[in-house]
Amino acid sequence: MGLSSAGRLYALVARKSDLEFEAQSIEQHRTYLSSQMMGMFNTQTKLEPGTEAYKFIEARIAQLQQADKVLEMHLNRINNQRDMMSKMIEECRKVLGENIQKSFGLLGNSNN
């Protein structure tokens, strides 16, 4: 039981680490999108409303905002999974601690 619990703990920690990396990557991509949108907003302020260039930039900003919403939803799912992994890690650590306590308790009782 102890060995399988330890293996499970390592797998959970690895999965949580993967999720944290994925969340970082998404945050970085969202920062890039935000930078792109700011540049487009700045360019748009220099254009006359109603022109083709203005409409093109407006459409591009809408696309970037939609992409950001999709990334935000994905990030929320990842954060929920990461929170679940944290809870599972704590439960696994508790089981491991109990197993260790029982093992040392048995060893301690056999000496008496």
Side-chain angles (χ1 to χ4, degrees), residues 85-102:
M85 287 297 122
S86 293
K87 289 176 185 175
M88 292 171 75
I89 287 169
E90 287 306 312
E91 290 171 5
C92 194
R93 284 183 176 154
K94 183 180 175 185
V95 168
L96 272 173
E98 290 170 357
N99 287 346
I100 290 171
Q101 190 68 22
K102 287 177 186 176

Side-chain angles (χ1 to χ4, degrees), residues 22-74:
E22 191 173 353
Q24 270 186 332
S25 297
I26 290 172
E27 286 290 354
Q28 197 171 26
H29 196 79
R30 288 185 73 202
T31 300
Y32 173 76
L33 289 177
S34 177
S35 173
Q36 292 293 309
M37 280 189 277
M38 288 303 296
M40 295 214 173
F41 280 127
N42 289 337
T43 302
Q44 191 179 34
T45 59
K46 299 173 188 171
L47 299 172
E48 289 293 320
T51 62
E52 288 299 315
Y54 186 91
K55 290 178 184 177
F56 175 80
I57 290 176
E58 193 171 51
R60 183 66 179 135
I61 289 170
Q63 288 174 337
L64 292 172
Q65 288 172 333
Q66 184 61 34
D68 185 59
K69 286 180 185 177
V70 169
L71 288 173
E72 183 180 16
M73 288 186 330
H74 188 61

